[in-house]
Amino acid sequence: MTDYFKQYPNKEGFFKEYGGSFIPPDLQKEMDNITNAYHSISKSHNFISELRSIRKHFQGRPTPVYYCQNLSTKYGGRIYLKREDLNHSGAHKLNHCMGEALLAKHLGKKKLIAETGAGQHGVALATAAAYFGLECEIHMGEVDMAKEHPNVVRMKILGAEVVPVSHGLKTLKEAVDSAFESYLKDPINTIYCIGSVVGPHPFPMMVRDFQRVVGIEAQEQFYEMTGENPDHVVACVGGGSNAMGMFSGFLDLEDTLLHGVEPGGIGTKLGDHASTITFGKPGIIHGFKCYTLQDEKGEPAPVYSVASGLDYPGVGPEHSMLKDMGKVNYGVADDAETIDAFYELSRLEGIIPALESAHAVAYGLKLAKENQQQSILINLSGRGDKDIDFVVEKYGLPEDNA
Ligand SMILES: *Cc1c(COP(=O)(O)O)cnc(C)c1O
């Protein structure tokens, strides 16, 4: 399996036909610098031992694998969770943000720059910046800032500068442009940090490598608990970082089926979902090639999901390749199934999941019903504190205590 990780991506950042780097030459030069630095620094003893220590003492890793007795009794199957909700700051995102920030430190950078849509990446990066004593500049559309006010406050408390983006639709796309512009003004002292396994090379590779810890831990923990490997591994897919981290620990196991779960939203019409792999086709978006949802003009299509962390019209190039190879099965959970799963996990196990993660739980419960004798390991990518007000306001409590 080490072969797989040596083979993909290739030197130019391609996962078969996907990935690569389709960006202006000035930006390409900076990406090449980051690639070269990553290849040498990430293999150094200092880098590896510092990251290991951070994961243990700051992030609280390894996160546990937990057997859901109550859910398993109700649905059948043997249902397990990898508890990334217990990773510091409440989700898997800090795994790659700490890696990116540590790389920045080794490169002598002073400032981290990123854009954020829902604010989760911004908060994780601001956390990493505070740890390393780096400056942090987060670009965010004004529409998103109003919608995600608590995350804006969190970033500011952590010491980040939040730059409001007020042109165009004032959402993620404009924030990306604004962040790149700021980065290119001073690429010597700053570094651009992408929040998932997307964007131009080397980010899909780098973010996957930083997330691999999830899958490596989970495979070892599950084997230690049960004496076998799981029959099914399930993770939600937005850009695809938590899923790629999880799957990377199981890709070489012939008998373990991998399931990526996309947000089905409220229907199959373009604009009603964000199921990029399920309904999209290959194209170029934000500087790399992947499955994308596009309108008739070839522009990124509007997307929708109840979970703001999943509504992206592209997906990681590695997922695109794994889809074509048939290595991973990509399915869908819609909003209604997701809200049901959100309450089921809360009520039966005492764990409130992030709405993103609840997509994976919903799909896992379906698998459990259909495979009564089998084991299902679900990556619980984050905790749901951020979602509780929204869920209760929009969907109400379940009938028994509304
Ligand atoms: C951001 C986020 C996701 C989606 O991102 P991926 O890169 O697809 O993992 C999933 N779960 C949680 C909790 C998130 O915050």
Side-chain angles (χ1 to χ4, degrees), residues 91-112:
H92 71 289
K93 281 197 175 71
L94 198 63
N95 298 330
H96 60 251
C97 284
M98 292 308 285
E100 288 172 333
L102 181 62
L103 182 69
K105 189 189 108 167
H106 279 255
L107 286 167
K109 304 282 182 182
K110 297 194 172 60
K111 191 196 269 189
L112 310 178

Side-chain angles (χ1 to χ4, degrees), residues 154-398:
R154 278 186 194 105
M155 287 184 263
K156 289 183 177 171
I157 289 174
L158 290 162
E161 183 193 349
V162 182
V163 179
V165 180
S166 57
H167 65 277
L169 295 175
K170 305 175 191 179
T171 59
L172 186 65
K173 185 180 178 304
E174 292 78 19
V176 173
D177 297 340
S178 170
F180 270 123
E181 207 175 291
S182 175
Y183 169 54
L184 283 178
K185 276 185 200 148
D186 185 10
I188 306 285
N189 290 306
T190 63
I191 186 166
Y192 190 82
C193 296
I194 291 181
S196 188
V197 285
V198 298
H201 184 59
F203 282 94
M205 169 186 73
M206 232 163 55
V207 171
R208 173 202 66 192
D209 290 352
F210 290 137
Q211 289 292 349
R212 277 180 68 185
V213 65
V214 175
I216 292 168
E217 282 176 11
Q219 192 275 330
E220 285 174 6
Q221 290 166 315
F222 189 93
Y223 195 86
E224 195 179 289
M225 283 172 88
T226 66
E228 55 190 35
N229 288 307
D231 296 306
H232 304 271
V233 171
V234 187
C236 66
V237 179
S241 65
N242 87 86
M244 225 32 261
M246 186 68 166
F247 294 165
S248 66
F250 300 90
L251 276 170
D252 59 340
L253 303 175
E254 291 292 319
D255 295 331
T256 296
L257 296 178
L258 306 177
H259 306 268
V261 185
E262 297 197 297
I266 50 171
T268 56
K269 214 168 77 240
L270 201 63
D272 285 350
H273 62 83
S275 300
T276 312
I277 294 183
T278 307
F279 297 114
K281 57 179 201 303
I284 289 171
I285 182 174
H286 298 151
F288 69 104
K289 186 171 178 188
C290 64
Y291 277 87
T292 65
L293 291 167
Q294 298 171 330
D295 62 18
E296 308 91 68
K297 284 185 238 138
E299 294 290 317
V303 283
Y304 163 79
S305 165
V306 68
S308 47
L310 298 181
D311 58 0
Y312 182 58
V315 68
E318 192 166 4
H319 285 291
S320 303
M321 175 186 79
L322 291 169
K323 154 80 178 173
D324 288 0
M325 286 171 145
K327 270 268 185 198
V328 177
N329 160 51
Y330 291 88
V332 166
D334 66 20
D335 282 6
E337 295 166 321
T338 298
I339 297 298
D340 281 350
F342 175 89
Y343 280 122
E344 281 296 271
L345 187 64
S346 301
R347 296 291 168 96
L348 288 173
E349 300 290 348
I351 299 168
I352 304 177
L355 280 176
E356 291 82 4
S357 325
H359 285 78
V361 176
Y363 198 88
L365 295 180
K366 274 193 277 190
L367 283 174
K369 273 195 247 173
E370 290 158 11
N371 301 281
Q372 295 281 315
Q373 304 309 318
Q374 300 190 345
S375 57
I376 295 132
L377 173 60
I378 303 167
N379 196 19
L380 199 73
S381 54
R383 68 176 180 225
D385 305 45
K386 66 186 178 59
D387 298 315
I388 53 178
D389 291 339
F390 169 81
V391 170
V392 172
E393 212 166 282
K394 179 148 186 211
Y395 297 93
L397 288 159

